[in-house]
């Protein structure tokens, strides 16, 4: 019987220095996909390769051999002995493999729960497998159901609607204060990684202008080129305070670099237009008394983490709801997989009865001697109705049992009783669904 298998490693099981060894160009990934498929141990396959995971999804009749083949493939891809991967690689088969893909596509299995990029990466992996001809009936159905599950999780749980990193929290708060970020300017003071990431996320959210100030002007210039911003001298930071709507500070200064008097003057020149200030530095760069001024929204690192903690708790609750959606979808996919065992048997059984009907109808018509087309149609219709009535209950029960643990036993019994030689159904998904519908 064909089964879905996933073999891979991720941020949960392997360090970045190992994961990065699997980083390959798209054309190389496609050739690896075809090579794996050509080995003959798998019927269908798909490779999902991101910075946080490398996973091979396969459909195979021989799970043990296919896992061995994929393990060897992964080791060869990374240029390491197979044994060195044994502690990092995980394997899931059948329903667990299906559920794993659903969790990955939905963002439940991501390093940051609910992150949206992974769904696009799964779609790209599927597209590649389709273009290279390694996705067949089962992977086609599996991937499209994974896309549906991911959409359902997003729409019904809001799992990705709350920021769960300090840099994204800054963006979330900025959007609460300013309706249209495209008309807003940001000043980044310092060159820390976290502040840079916050600035990047604000830019992605449509902020119109970015000013960068650093004690080292070369650093300001370099970062400005990287982020398409404008470098300014560190001593000019207070002058430009009146021109910006968002200020991010992340310097190593032991003293406050922005004080109430500085902000008060800027507000006066801005005609009390609000300023959103994010102080990521430790020790703090902005005098906390600044928050006492009207039209100032000041958040330090602890404030951001408090918001972050609330968001994380909410996402965890959403993740529990998402798991229920995933479990229901996995059961439905399992029922569909089981139906593949019964459809060929149903078709063979129908063909057997049709053959018998044709032979007996022709024999009866010969005995009648003289008959009209109307007589012929009437005999054919009667024979078809008799067959339909005889097969109705057996086929209904056969389809019902196909999704249970006794499904294989029922299918095998029918094949033995009627001496049928059904093979694994290999047709396009649309044809398969039509065949099932014809017997509903």
């Amino acid at each position: 019987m064909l089964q879905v298998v996933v073999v891979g490693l991720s941020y949960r099981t392997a360090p970045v220095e190992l994961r990065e060894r699997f980083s390959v160009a798209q054309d190389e990934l496609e050739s690896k996909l075809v090579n794996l498929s050509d080995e003959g141990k798998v019927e269908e396959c798909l490779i999902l390769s991101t910075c946080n995971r490398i996973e091979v999804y396969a459909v195979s009749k021989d799970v043990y051999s296919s896992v061995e083949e994929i393990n060897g493939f992964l080791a060869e891809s990374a240029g390491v002995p197979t044994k060195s991967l044994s502690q990092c690689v995980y394997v899931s088969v059948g329903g667990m493999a299906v559920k794993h893909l659903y969790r990955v596509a939905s963002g439940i299995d991501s390093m940051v729960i609910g992150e949206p990029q992974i769904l696009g990466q799964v779609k790209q992996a599927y597209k590649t497998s389709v273009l290279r001809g390694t996705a067949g009936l089962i992977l086609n159905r599996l991937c499209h159901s994974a896309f549906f599950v991911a959409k359902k999780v997003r729409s019904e749980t809001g799992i990705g609607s709350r920021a769960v990193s300090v840099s994204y929290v800054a963006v979330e708060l900025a959007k609460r204060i300013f309706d249209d970020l495209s008309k807003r300017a940001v000043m980044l003071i310092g060159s820390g990684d976290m502040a840079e990431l916050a600035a990047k996320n604000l830019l992605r959210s449509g902020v119109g202008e970015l000013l960068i100030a650093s004690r080292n002007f070369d650093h300001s210039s370099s970062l400005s080129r990287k982020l398409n911003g404008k470098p300014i001298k560190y001593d000019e930071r207070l002058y430009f305070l009146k021109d910006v709507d968002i200020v991010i500070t992340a310097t190593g200064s032991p003293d406050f670099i922005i004080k109430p008097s500085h902000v008060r003057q800027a507000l006066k020149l801005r005609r009390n237009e609000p300023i959103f200030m994010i102080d990521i530095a430790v020790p703090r760069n902005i005098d906390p008394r600044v928050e006492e001024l009207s039209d100032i929204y000041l958040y330090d690192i602890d404030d951001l983490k408090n918001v972050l903690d609330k968001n994380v708790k909410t996402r965890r609750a959403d993740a529990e709801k998402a798991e229920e959606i995933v479990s229901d979808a996995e059961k439905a996919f399992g029922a569909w997989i089981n139906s593949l065992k019964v459809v060929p048997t149903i078709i063979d059984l129908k063909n057997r009865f049709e053959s018998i009907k044709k032979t007996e109808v022709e024999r009866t018509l010969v005995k009648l001697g003289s008959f009209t087309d109307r007589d012929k149609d009437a005999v054919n219709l009667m024979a078809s109705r008799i067959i339909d009535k005889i097969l109705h209950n057996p086929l209904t029960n056969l389809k019902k049992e196909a999704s249970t643990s006794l499904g294989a036993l029922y299918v095998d019994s029918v094949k033995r009783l009627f001496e049928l030689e059904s093979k694994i159904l290999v047709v396009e998904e649309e044809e398969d669904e039509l065949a099932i519908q014809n017997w509903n």
Side-chain angles (χ1 to χ4, degrees), residues 153-354:
V153 166
R154 293 272 168 187
S155 62
E156 295 187 11
T157 70
I159 193 171
S161 62
R162 292 180 178 270
V164 288
S165 72
V166 168
S167 59
Y168 279 100
V169 165
V171 177
E172 186 179 85
L173 293 173
K175 288 180 177 178
R176 293 180 190 175
I177 299 167
F178 304 111
D179 292 333
D180 186 0
L181 292 182
S182 66
K183 298 177 181 179
R184 304 297 173 176
V186 180
M187 178 164 59
L188 172 59
I189 307 175
S191 54
D193 291 340
M194 197 180 298
E196 179 185 337
L197 188 55
K200 283 182 179 178
N201 290 330
L202 283 166
L203 287 171
R204 290 194 193 103
S205 297
V207 166
E209 184 180 10
L210 173 64
L211 306 180
I212 301 176
S214 175
R215 291 184 186 276
N216 187 322
F217 189 73
D218 289 340
H219 287 172
S220 298
S221 299
S222 175
L223 190 55
S224 293
R225 287 191 295 271
K226 182 178 179 181
L227 300 180
N228 195 27
K230 174 185 175 182
I232 62 174
K233 293 180 180 179
Y234 182 77
D235 293 339
E236 295 177 330
R237 69 189 187 283
L238 299 177
Y239 171 79
F240 282 100
L241 198 57
K242 63 180 173 49
D243 299 320
V244 297
D245 306 285
I246 302 170
V247 178
I248 305 172
T249 61
T251 77
S253 173
D255 303 314
F256 296 133
I257 64 171
I258 297 179
K259 299 179 180 179
S261 58
H262 305 145
V263 179
R264 194 177 291 113
Q265 180 64 24
L267 285 173
K268 195 173 184 180
L269 295 170
R270 287 171 60 83
R271 297 182 180 179
N272 293 316
E273 184 73 17
I275 303 177
F276 176 39
M277 311 187 87
I278 307 166
D279 188 355
I280 300 177
V282 179
R284 288 175 291 182
N285 287 162
I286 302 176
D287 189 327
R289 291 177 298 173
V290 167
E291 190 174 16
E292 298 172 7
L293 300 175
S294 298
D295 301 311
I296 291 296
Y297 301 88
L298 173 61
Y299 288 81
D300 61 24
I301 191 69
D302 286 345
D303 295 326
L304 295 177
K305 285 185 176 178
N306 287 336
V307 176
L308 180 62
D309 289 343
K310 290 179 182 178
N311 286 356
V312 168
K313 288 179 181 177
T314 301
R315 279 209 179 184
R316 284 174 181 163
D318 285 334
E320 291 179 5
K321 296 178 185 176
E323 293 286 7
E324 294 178 7
I325 294 173
V326 165
S327 293
D328 290 344
E330 183 272 318
K331 291 175 183 175
F333 187 83
W336 177 80
I337 282 285
N338 286 330
S339 75
L340 295 183
K341 297 179 294 186
V342 72
V343 170
T345 301
I346 288 176
I347 291 173
D348 280 357
L349 189 59
K350 175 67 175 178
N351 288 339
R352 174 64 56 83
F353 273 72
E354 283 293 326

Side-chain angles (χ1 to χ4, degrees), residues 49-235:
S49 178
T50 75
C51 58
N52 284 328
R53 70 181 68 244
I54 172 75
E55 295 176 340
V56 177
Y57 293 84
V59 177
S60 176
K61 296 177 185 176
D62 187 342
V63 171
Y64 180 79
S65 295
S66 63
V67 169
E68 273 197 332
E69 187 68 35
I70 295 170
N71 273 329
F73 161 78
L74 290 174
E76 183 182 348
S77 298
V80 298
T82 304
K83 287 184 179 180
S84 67
L85 290 180
S86 60
Q87 299 300 315
C88 304
V89 170
Y90 45 82
V91 178
S92 293
V93 179
M96 294 304 294
V98 171
K99 184 178 288 189
H100 181 78
L101 178 59
Y102 291 166
R103 297 184 79 254
V104 169
S106 302
I108 304 173
D109 194 59
S110 296
M111 186 179 292
V112 177
I113 295 176
E115 61 95 359
Q117 289 82 8
I118 186 63
L119 178 57
Q121 292 165 331
V122 173
K123 287 184 176 180
Q124 181 58 50
Y126 169 64
K127 180 180 178 181
T128 300
S129 66
V130 169
L131 291 175
R132 302 301 292 190
T134 64
L137 172 69
I138 293 177
L139 279 186
N140 282 331
R141 181 76 169 230
L142 175 61
C143 288
H144 282 288
S145 64
F147 304 152
F148 173 79
V149 170
K151 182 178 180 180
K152 187 177 177 69
V153 166
R154 293 272 168 187
S155 62
E156 295 187 11
T157 70
I159 193 171
S161 62
R162 292 180 178 270
V164 288
S165 72
V166 168
S167 59
Y168 279 100
V169 165
V171 177
E172 186 179 85
L173 293 173
K175 288 180 177 178
R176 293 180 190 175
I177 299 167
F178 304 111
D179 292 333
D180 186 0
L181 292 182
S182 66
K183 298 177 181 179
R184 304 297 173 176
V186 180
M187 178 164 59
L188 172 59
I189 307 175
S191 54
D193 291 340
M194 197 180 298
E196 179 185 337
L197 188 55
K200 283 182 179 178
N201 290 330
L202 283 166
L203 287 171
R204 290 194 193 103
S205 297
V207 166
E209 184 180 10
L210 173 64
L211 306 180
I212 301 176
S214 175
R215 291 184 186 276
N216 187 322
F217 189 73
D218 289 340
H219 287 172
S220 298
S221 299
S222 175
L223 190 55
S224 293
R225 287 191 295 271
K226 182 178 179 181
L227 300 180
N228 195 27
K230 174 185 175 182
I232 62 174
K233 293 180 180 179
Y234 182 77
D235 293 339

Side-chain angles (χ1 to χ4, degrees), residues 414-428:
V414 171
K415 289 167 69 174
R416 286 174 177 271
L417 286 171
F418 292 94
E419 296 182 347
L420 304 176
E421 295 295 333
S422 299
K423 297 180 180 179
I424 296 295
L425 185 64
V426 181
V427 294
E428 292 300 320

